[in-house]
Amino acid sequence: MDFFGVSREITRSHAYKKLAQLSISSTSEESDISGKQSLLSQIGKGSSGLSNVAISLNEYEILVALCEGTRQGTVSASKAQLLTQKFRQYLLELPQQQFSEHVFTFLGDLPPWLSLAEKVTAALVDLTLVSHGFLVTEVLDTFMAFVESLFGTCNLELSSYLALLGFMKALTKNPSIFTANESSLKLFQLLDSSIDSVDFLTSAEYYSAYLASYP
């Protein structure tokens, strides 16, 4: 149902963004008691196996709202730490992640792997560069783990390429992450050597040709 010409999806998305700001705001340290942190409790359940369960539209929108909320620079230290851990879970499992059909319908032509990889990566960068520099080592470790895991897979699926594309888009929009500390250079070198390898470029070319042969 639409309300005064505004779709339910837009209304829900706006509400999630407001709740996300309250959930992670540095002025909401009592949110555990008041319930404002409920959005944080609805993502990243369990320590592993996220990709075995399809992400619902509700979970997707909550995750996106929390990612975008990091841009404000008002995330408390404790919640920044929690978000970093939860975002790490999603990023590492994203190449194999399943999504509900409602997510595909909601996004239209935009692949969820690309969209979520870009938003989660950008959020991790924001948490490090905008508000909490002490997280830089943990964030860079997450990025290194993502690259090593993805390129360590023998047979990359389309979702892997899309997740990598979203990851790279976010990093190119925030190049200062490559000068954050001494580990930044290692990340750059790992990406450069992995993407510029003959094996990867050959498989990428083959996969692109394979996709182009189908309508």
Side-chain angles (χ1 to χ4, degrees):
M1 178 184 295
D2 292 351
F3 300 92
F4 303 105
V6 180
S7 69
R8 175 186 296 178
E9 289 77 11
I10 293 177
T11 302
R12 184 176 62 243
S13 178
H14 183 70
Y16 279 146
K17 289 180 180 180
K18 289 293 185 181
L19 287 173
Q21 291 174 4
L22 291 173
S23 296
I24 64 180
S25 172
S26 59
T27 60
S28 302
E29 292 297 340
E30 297 181 357
S31 58
D32 288 336
I33 299 175
S34 67
K36 293 178 183 177
Q37 201 182 25
S38 59
L39 286 187
L40 288 172
S41 66
Q42 294 182 45
I43 64 168
K45 297 179 180 179
S47 58
S48 63
L50 289 176
S51 58
N52 295 325
V53 180
I55 290 180
S56 67
L57 179 57
N58 183 61
E59 182 180 1
Y60 175 85
E61 289 189 287
I62 290 174
L63 187 55
V64 168
L66 289 170
C67 286
E68 295 180 348
T70 62
R71 299 174 186 171
Q72 306 302 318
T74 57
V75 186
S76 69
S78 60
K79 290 172 186 174
Q81 185 77 58
L82 179 59
L83 283 169
T84 299
Q85 295 169 357
K86 287 181 177 288
F87 289 160
R88 176 188 174 93
Q89 288 180 269
Y90 281 98
L91 185 62
L92 294 186
E93 297 205 33
L94 193 53
Q96 294 81 40
Q97 183 64 57
Q98 302 177 56
F99 293 88
S100 74
E101 61 181 77
H102 299 293
V103 175
F104 288 97
T105 301
F106 177 74
L107 292 176
D109 294 332
L110 181 63
W113 299 278
L114 189 156
S115 171
L116 205 52
E118 182 175 4
K119 291 183 181 300
V120 169
T121 302
L124 285 168
V125 172
D126 285 339
L127 286 172
T128 299
L129 300 182
V130 177
S131 52
H132 299 290
F134 72 91
L135 291 170
V136 64
T137 299
E138 186 174 349
V139 167
L140 287 173
D141 177 69
T142 294
F143 291 164
M144 293 282 287
F146 171 77
V147 176
E148 290 172 343
S149 175
L150 190 145
F151 284 96
T153 303
C154 296
N155 298 311
L156 295 178
E157 301 291 339
L158 174 60
S159 56
S160 300
Y161 288 97
L162 293 171
L164 177 62
L165 179 58
F167 175 73
M168 293 298 297
K169 285 183 66 177
L171 292 185
T172 54
K173 291 179 181 178
N174 300 276
S176 55
I177 190 65
F178 291 112
T179 59
N181 67 13
E182 60 276 4
S183 297
S184 301
L185 178 59
K186 294 180 181 179
L187 173 62
F188 181 84
Q189 292 173 330
L190 177 62
L191 277 169
D192 182 61
S193 61
S194 298
I195 294 176
D196 199 36
S197 70
V198 174
D199 290 341
F200 175 75
L201 293 177
T202 300
S203 62
E205 181 179 7
Y206 171 80
Y207 200 76
S208 298
Y210 175 81
L211 288 177
S213 66
Y214 287 85

